Amino acid sequence: MEIYKSLSDPATKEFEKLLNSKLSKTQIEEGKIIEGKINKITDKYVFLHCEGLKSEPVLDINELKSMGLSEKIKIGETIPVLLEKIEDKNGEVLVSANKAQKIKGWDKLVEAYEKNEPIMGKITSKCKGGCIVEHIETGSLMFLPGSQISDKPLKDISHLMNEPQKFALIKLDKVRGNACVSRREIISSFKKEDKAKIIEKYKVGDIIKGAEVKGYSTFGCFFNVNGELDVLVHLQEISYSRVNHPDEVFNIGEKHDLKVISVDKEKLQVGCSVKQLLPDPFEKIDNYELNKTYKFKVIKLMEFGAFCELSELPGLTTLLHSSELSWNKKNNSAKKMFKVNDEIDCVITEIDKEKRRVAISHRLTFENPFEVFEKKYPVGTIAEGEVVNKNEYSLFVKIGDLEIDTFLHSNDLTYTNDGEQELNKYKKGDKIKVKILEIKTTEQKVRVGLKQTQPDPFDWFSDKKVKQIITVKIVSTDNKGLIVRPEGCEMDLPIKKSNIAINAADTRPSRFTGGERIDCAILDLDLDKRKVTLSIKLLEEIEKKEALEKYGAEGSGKNLPFSSLSEDLKNKEKKKD
């Protein structure tokens, strides 16, 4: 083997050069980005020289132009390319400048995402659900969701198209190579910086003048201060009285003074209070007595009542419930009775210092009409009234000049006819005389009756007794039995089919045509319950018993001639059959 003693001779240097060239070729790998130098340009292709490759890679000239690299299409310019294959089936080297640009762009996006840095891009087109943003530096395409375009809804974004602007990277999918950006976060970050400067101006204890009510929440009310800051007044800081919802006290657009009670520079929040600008009204509540009348100011009207403020003690707000507006249940709407800022009389009915609650009533300032009614028309009084309303089972009758509608049930209309049928005879405006049957002052109810003003036909039975025989006239018949009316009585009574006769064959109601006068006996009688039962069968049993007592046993006369003739004839007929 020949050993080179000197490494400076030309042959040794040539060998070293060839060896280094061979080593550099072996270091080139597929999937890596390499530098290519343009050494030839034709109408369609660009030929590159890459160190370590045995042949020259070729690029489509249109690919470079589409990438915006037209200025670099010159002999001697260097272009980064992705080595896809060192040698394909045709023995050629495959490279891509476009893919190399995307990989380099993706690496920059990953770096910006990890450092939480904004990137420059421009909105190039709209797509389903948002827009497409092009990264200005690398040309990479990213998705901008519609919800991330701005912090406010935008109907038109034409003024944002193709304008270079900052975007925040909010999501990267390395597997799919997708990137999601947000313009909204950039806008919000600028606003946070401005908001931090604004909040620095406020300190605990400061008084804010003329803050405007902006919106409600279940936990408080939001106010806008000078058009630059939104502050929260918690539900507990609205009033010294109990407040269930801010809309009970405030209206949108109203202006109120606020006191700053907290400043959170980390969360960029300012907490305020309305009630701390006022003296605590419950410190003076001992000056007011229960069941005494005071002046209250109506400050807000609701469907369920009105919120009122004690005129002598501003800040003490309480609810006047609709049930305490009037004794008359028909007109219990606060919106119909009062207006905001009206001053009304109310009675304090309850004071609870622990719960900081005051209960009031407006109707107690007036005399209870049901107590007046009871004094003027005690139970048992007969008075004239007017039918003011009607439903399917009752009438409502107004008596006198009091705003009270008494209740008249259909069962109390008549003794004789069906109550519901009798109800059809009456209409609004009819004048009738009724008897006061019941007065419930606490429940605000009065019950009256019409039939109680008339003679009770059932009194006809007051001197009658069970098993007494009476004469009746048959009014009508049906499958169930008979309808009869006792002579001298104005009441129709039934006789059941089972009570028509002893013999089952004679119990059919069709035996009677109607209009006949017959006798029957009283089977049952209860004057207290107004119940009576009539029976023809009982009459037959009574007459049979009297006949037996008068003429002997039931079998008497059987030893006389022909006494058994009928039975013998029957037996003869059976034998023939």
Side-chain angles (χ1 to χ4, degrees), residues 71-135:
E71 296 179 356
K72 284 196 171 189
I73 307 175
K74 297 177 183 179
I75 299 295
E77 287 286 342
T78 302
I79 297 175
V81 292
L82 173 68
L83 180 59
E84 295 186 271
K85 281 194 176 183
I86 295 176
E87 185 177 358
D88 65 359
K89 63 183 179 180
N90 297 322
E92 296 178 353
V93 179
L94 295 181
V95 295
S96 172
N98 189 20
K99 291 181 179 179
Q101 187 186 53
K102 285 185 176 180
I103 291 173
K104 279 193 171 184
W106 179 260
D107 292 338
K108 290 186 178 181
L109 292 179
V110 172
E111 183 181 357
Y113 179 75
E114 290 175 350
K115 293 182 179 180
N116 198 23
E117 294 177 350
I119 59 173
M120 290 300 295
K122 59 182 179 181
I123 301 174
T124 57
S125 62
K126 294 181 181 179
C127 65
K128 185 177 180 181
C131 301
I132 300 299
V133 175
E134 180 184 348
H135 188 204

Side-chain angles (χ1 to χ4, degrees), residues 35-43 45-59 61 64 72-79 81 95:
E35 296 291 330
K37 188 176 182 180
I38 301 175
N39 59 8
K40 184 180 178 181
I41 302 173
T42 65
D43 292 338
Y45 301 102
V46 173
F47 294 84
L48 304 176
H49 171 71
C50 299
E51 288 288 340
L53 295 178
K54 66 180 181 179
S55 60
E56 295 179 335
V58 180
L59 289 176
I61 198 168
L64 297 176
K72 284 196 171 189
I73 307 175
K74 297 177 183 179
I75 299 295
E77 287 286 342
T78 302
I79 297 175
V81 292
V95 295

Side-chain angles (χ1 to χ4, degrees), residues 484-495:
V484 300
R485 177 175 293 185
E487 290 186 347
C489 179
E490 298 298 324
M491 179 183 290
D492 293 341
L493 300 170
I495 296 179

